[in-house]
Every structure is written in C-alpha cells, then in structure tokens.
Amino acid sequence: VAIGLTGIPVLESDEMRRSQSDMSLASLISFGGVGLLLFLGFRGIRHPLLALLMLLVGLAWSLGYATLFVGHLNILSVSFTAILVGLGIDFAIHYLARYLELRHKGLSLRPALLRTSWGVGTGIVTAAVTTSLAFFCATFTSFLGIAELGVIAGGGILLCCVTTFVVLPALIAIADRKL
C-alpha cells in the first residue's frame, strides 16, 4: 500500500522546496563564475577575494533585511541572491579598478582609498539608487510575488552599495597595510 499527499498545498510546498534548491545551486554557480572572472580580470587572488568577501557580507545583510521587512521568501523572491551576485559585485569591481590604478600610480594606502571613494563614489551610488528604484517599482504590481522580489532586491542592492564603502575599504586596508 502506498500513501501519498496531493492537493494545492502539497504541490506549492514541493514547488517551493524545489525552487529553493535550484536557486541555491544557481547562486553558488553564479558566485563561482563571478569569482573566476574576477581572478582572470584582475590577474590576481587577493583583491578579488576581498570583493567576494564584501559580496558575501552584502548578501548576509540582504538576507537579514529580507527577514526583517518581508519575513519569508516566495517562489519568485528566492531568486534574489543570484540577482545580487550579478549586480552587487559591480560596485566592488569599479572600486577595486580605481583603487589599483591609484596604487600603481604610486599613492599610498590611505590616500588611494580616500581618492577612490571620492572619485567613484558618485557613480556607484547613482548606479545603486537607480537600480534599486527600478526594483522598488515592482512593489506597485498587484502580484505579491513580484512585489516582494522588488522590496528584497531593491534593498539588497542598496546594502551591497553600503558594503562597498564600509566593508571593502576596511578589507583592503587590512590586506594591503604592509604593501
């Protein structure tokens, strides 16, 4: 005798469990792919690792934000981690590229960090705010799944921007202090 459950609640539970599993795998693959491209693009390991660590902090803060403001993930909003991996790393790439350019020109650590934040700060913040606003506009839809994704992804983008100016310079200062 085989006993099974059926019905809409069971199907929804199965769909959610499967989508969470698939998005976890997709997020790991995207994180690994982004890391590989960073290692190749920056031709090194130290600074790309710092960018990835900053991204992990941004993702952790975003998960906390999602828990605080929405309280759960749905079948659509579960995809926000893969979205943030792709969009959140952009800020670190711009920051690191400018910082390394200034260091190669001979600036010491602290002046290079200050000039980097000052020089690329406006562009990074503008990109974060405009992208975040685009996601927040999804909250005006009547479909709850899309609205929740908009809230989570919009806030996550802003948090990744904050980590770019709070976490990344601190990590760079620690990693490059003896260079």
Coordinates of all heavy atoms in Angstrom, one line a residue, residues 103-146:
R103 N 47.0 53.0 -6.9 CA 48.2 52.4 -6.2 C 49.3 52.2 -7.2 O 50.5 52.4 -6.9 CB 47.8 51.0 -5.6 CG 46.9 51.1 -4.4 CD 47.6 51.7 -3.2 NE 48.6 50.8 -2.7 CZ 49.1 50.8 -1.5 NH1 48.7 51.7 -0.6 NH2 49.9 49.9 -1.1
H104 N 49.0 51.8 -8.4 CA 50.0 51.7 -9.5 C 50.7 53.0 -9.8 O 51.8 53.1 -10.3 CB 49.5 51.0 -10.7 CG 49.2 49.5 -10.5 ND1 48.0 48.9 -10.8 CD2 50.0 48.6 -10.0 CE1 48.1 47.7 -10.5 NE2 49.3 47.4 -10.0
K105 N 49.9 54.1 -9.6 CA 50.5 55.5 -9.8 C 51.4 55.9 -8.7 O 51.9 57.0 -8.7 CB 49.4 56.5 -10.1 CG 48.7 56.3 -11.4 CD 47.6 57.4 -11.6 CE 47.0 57.3 -12.9 NZ 45.9 58.3 -13.1
G106 N 51.5 55.1 -7.6 CA 52.3 55.4 -6.5 C 51.7 56.0 -5.3 O 52.4 56.3 -4.3
L107 N 50.4 56.1 -5.2 CA 49.8 56.6 -4.0 C 49.8 55.6 -2.9 O 49.8 54.4 -3.1 CB 48.3 56.9 -4.2 CG 48.0 58.4 -4.6 CD1 48.5 58.7 -6.0 CD2 46.5 58.7 -4.5
S108 N 50.0 56.0 -1.7 CA 50.0 55.1 -0.5 C 48.5 54.7 -0.2 O 47.6 55.2 -0.8 CB 50.7 55.7 0.7 OG 50.0 56.9 1.1
L109 N 48.4 53.8 0.7 CA 47.2 53.1 1.0 C 46.0 54.1 1.4 O 45.0 54.1 0.7 CB 47.3 52.1 2.2 CG 46.1 51.4 2.7 CD1 45.5 50.5 1.6 CD2 46.4 50.7 3.9
R110 N 46.2 54.9 2.4 CA 45.1 55.8 2.8 C 44.7 56.8 1.8 O 43.5 56.9 1.5 CB 45.5 56.4 4.1 CG 44.4 57.2 4.8 CD 44.8 57.7 6.2 NE 43.9 58.6 6.7 CZ 42.7 58.4 7.3 NH1 42.3 57.1 7.4 NH2 41.9 59.3 7.8
P111 N 45.6 57.5 1.2 CA 45.2 58.5 0.1 C 44.5 57.8 -1.1 O 43.6 58.3 -1.7 CB 46.5 59.1 -0.3 CG 47.4 59.0 0.8 CD 47.1 57.7 1.5
A112 N 45.0 56.6 -1.4 CA 44.4 55.8 -2.5 C 42.9 55.4 -2.2 O 42.1 55.5 -3.0 CB 45.2 54.6 -2.9
L113 N 42.7 55.0 -1.0 CA 41.3 54.7 -0.6 C 40.4 55.9 -0.5 O 39.3 55.8 -1.0 CB 41.4 54.0 0.8 CG 41.9 52.5 0.9 CD1 42.0 52.1 2.3 CD2 40.9 51.6 0.1
L114 N 41.0 57.0 0.0 CA 40.2 58.2 0.0 C 39.8 58.7 -1.4 O 38.7 59.1 -1.7 CB 40.9 59.3 0.8 CG 41.0 59.0 2.3 CD1 41.9 60.1 3.0 CD2 39.6 59.0 3.0
R115 N 40.8 58.8 -2.2 CA 40.6 59.2 -3.6 C 39.7 58.3 -4.4 O 38.9 58.7 -5.2 CB 41.9 59.5 -4.3 CG 42.6 60.8 -3.9 CD 43.8 61.1 -4.6 NE 43.5 61.3 -6.0 CZ 44.5 61.6 -6.9 NH1 45.7 61.6 -6.6 NH2 44.2 61.7 -8.2
T116 N 39.8 57.0 -4.1 CA 38.9 56.0 -4.8 C 37.5 56.3 -4.4 O 36.6 56.4 -5.2 CB 39.3 54.6 -4.4 OG1 40.6 54.4 -4.9 CG2 38.4 53.6 -5.0
S117 N 37.2 56.4 -3.1 CA 35.8 56.6 -2.6 C 35.3 57.9 -3.1 O 34.1 58.0 -3.5 CB 35.8 56.6 -1.1 OG 36.1 55.4 -0.6
W118 N 36.1 58.9 -3.2 CA 35.7 60.2 -3.7 C 35.5 60.2 -5.2 O 34.5 60.7 -5.7 CB 36.8 61.3 -3.3 CG 36.4 62.7 -3.8 CD1 36.9 63.3 -4.8 CD2 35.5 63.5 -3.1 NE1 36.3 64.6 -4.9 CE2 35.4 64.7 -3.9 CE3 34.7 63.5 -2.0 CZ2 34.6 65.8 -3.6 CZ3 33.9 64.5 -1.7 CH2 33.8 65.7 -2.5
G119 N 36.3 59.5 -5.9 CA 36.3 59.5 -7.3 C 35.2 58.7 -7.9 O 34.5 59.1 -8.9
V120 N 35.0 57.5 -7.4 CA 34.0 56.6 -8.0 C 32.7 56.5 -7.2 O 31.7 55.9 -7.6 CB 34.5 55.1 -8.2 CG1 35.7 55.1 -9.2 CG2 34.9 54.5 -6.9
G121 N 32.7 57.2 -6.0 CA 31.5 57.2 -5.1 C 30.3 57.7 -5.8 O 29.2 57.0 -5.6
T122 N 30.3 58.8 -6.5 CA 29.1 59.3 -7.1 C 28.5 58.3 -8.1 O 27.3 58.1 -8.1 CB 29.4 60.7 -7.8 OG1 30.0 61.5 -6.8 CG2 28.1 61.3 -8.4
G123 N 29.4 57.8 -8.9 CA 28.9 56.8 -9.9 C 28.3 55.6 -9.3 O 27.2 55.1 -9.8
I124 N 29.0 55.0 -8.3 CA 28.5 53.8 -7.7 C 27.2 54.1 -7.0 O 26.2 53.3 -7.1 CB 29.5 53.3 -6.7 CG1 30.7 52.7 -7.5 CG2 28.9 52.2 -5.8 CD1 31.9 52.3 -6.6
V125 N 27.1 55.2 -6.2 CA 25.8 55.5 -5.5 C 24.7 55.7 -6.5 O 23.5 55.2 -6.3 CB 26.0 56.6 -4.6 CG1 24.7 57.1 -4.0 CG2 26.9 56.2 -3.4
T126 N 25.0 56.4 -7.6 CA 23.9 56.7 -8.6 C 23.5 55.4 -9.2 O 22.2 55.2 -9.4 CB 24.5 57.6 -9.7 OG1 24.9 58.9 -9.1 CG2 23.4 57.9 -10.7
A127 N 24.4 54.5 -9.6 CA 24.0 53.2 -10.1 C 23.2 52.4 -9.2 O 22.2 51.8 -9.5 CB 25.3 52.4 -10.6
A128 N 23.6 52.4 -7.9 CA 22.8 51.6 -6.9 C 21.4 52.2 -6.7 O 20.5 51.4 -6.6 CB 23.6 51.6 -5.6
V129 N 21.3 53.5 -6.6 CA 20.0 54.1 -6.4 C 19.1 53.9 -7.5 O 17.9 53.5 -7.4 CB 20.1 55.6 -6.0 CG1 18.8 56.3 -6.0 CG2 20.8 55.7 -4.6
T130 N 19.6 54.1 -8.8 CA 18.7 53.9 -9.9 C 18.3 52.4 -10.1 O 17.1 52.1 -10.4 CB 19.4 54.4 -11.2 OG1 20.6 53.7 -11.4 CG2 19.6 55.9 -11.2
T131 N 19.2 51.5 -9.9 CA 18.9 50.1 -10.0 C 17.9 49.7 -8.9 O 16.9 49.0 -9.1 CB 20.1 49.2 -9.9 OG1 21.0 49.6 -10.9 CG2 19.8 47.7 -10.1
S132 N 18.1 50.2 -7.7 CA 17.3 49.9 -6.6 C 15.9 50.4 -6.8 O 14.8 49.8 -6.5 CB 17.8 50.5 -5.3 OG 17.0 50.3 -4.2
L133 N 15.8 51.7 -7.3 CA 14.5 52.2 -7.7 C 13.7 51.4 -8.7 O 12.5 51.2 -8.6 CB 14.6 53.7 -8.2 CG 14.8 54.7 -7.1 CD1 15.1 56.1 -7.7 CD2 13.6 54.8 -6.2
A134 N 14.4 50.9 -9.7 CA 13.8 50.0 -10.7 C 13.2 48.8 -10.0 O 12.0 48.4 -10.3 CB 14.8 49.6 -11.7
F135 N 13.9 48.2 -9.1 CA 13.3 47.1 -8.4 C 12.2 47.5 -7.4 O 11.2 46.8 -7.4 CB 14.4 46.3 -7.5 CG 15.2 45.4 -8.4 CD1 16.6 45.6 -8.6 CD2 14.7 44.2 -8.9 CE1 17.3 44.8 -9.4 CE2 15.4 43.3 -9.6 CZ 16.8 43.6 -9.9
F136 N 12.3 48.6 -6.7 CA 11.3 49.0 -5.8 C 10.0 49.3 -6.6 O 8.9 49.2 -6.1 CB 11.7 50.2 -5.0 CG 12.6 49.9 -3.8 CD1 13.7 50.6 -3.6 CD2 12.2 48.9 -2.9 CE1 14.5 50.2 -2.5 CE2 13.0 48.6 -1.8 CZ 14.2 49.2 -1.6
C137 N 10.1 49.7 -7.9 CA 8.9 50.0 -8.7 C 8.0 48.7 -8.8 O 6.8 48.8 -9.1 CB 9.2 50.6 -10.0 SG 9.7 52.3 -9.9
A138 N 8.7 47.6 -8.7 CA 7.9 46.3 -8.8 C 6.9 46.1 -7.7 O 6.0 45.3 -7.8 CB 8.9 45.1 -8.9
T139 N 7.1 46.9 -6.6 CA 6.2 46.8 -5.5 C 4.8 47.4 -5.8 O 3.8 47.1 -5.1 CB 6.7 47.6 -4.2 OG1 6.9 48.9 -4.5 CG2 8.1 47.0 -3.8
F140 N 4.7 48.1 -6.9 CA 3.4 48.7 -7.3 C 2.5 47.6 -8.1 O 1.4 48.0 -8.4 CB 3.6 49.9 -8.1 CG 4.2 51.0 -7.4 CD1 5.5 51.5 -7.8 CD2 3.7 51.6 -6.2 CE1 6.1 52.5 -7.0 CE2 4.3 52.6 -5.5 CZ 5.5 53.1 -5.9
T141 N 3.1 46.5 -8.4 CA 2.3 45.5 -9.0 C 1.3 44.8 -8.0 O 1.6 44.8 -6.8 CB 3.2 44.4 -9.7 OG1 3.8 43.7 -8.6 CG2 4.2 44.9 -10.6
S142 N 0.3 44.3 -8.6 CA -0.7 43.6 -7.7 C -0.3 42.2 -7.4 O -0.9 41.6 -6.5 CB -2.1 43.6 -8.4 OG -2.0 43.0 -9.6
F143 N 0.7 41.6 -8.1 CA 1.1 40.3 -7.8 C 2.1 40.3 -6.7 O 3.2 40.9 -6.8 CB 1.7 39.7 -9.1 CG 2.1 38.2 -9.0 CD1 1.2 37.3 -8.6 CD2 3.4 37.8 -9.2 CE1 1.5 35.9 -8.5 CE2 3.7 36.5 -9.1 CZ 2.8 35.5 -8.7
L144 N 1.8 39.6 -5.6 CA 2.5 39.7 -4.4 C 4.0 39.2 -4.5 O 4.9 39.7 -4.0 CB 1.8 39.0 -3.3 CG 2.4 39.1 -1.9 CD1 2.5 40.5 -1.4 CD2 1.7 38.2 -0.9
G145 N 4.1 38.1 -5.3 CA 5.5 37.5 -5.5 C 6.4 38.5 -6.1 O 7.6 38.6 -5.7
I146 N 6.0 39.2 -7.1 CA 6.9 40.2 -7.8 C 7.1 41.4 -6.9 O 8.2 41.9 -6.8 CB 6.2 40.7 -9.1 CG1 6.1 39.6 -10.1 CG2 7.0 41.9 -9.7 CD1 7.4 39.0 -10.6

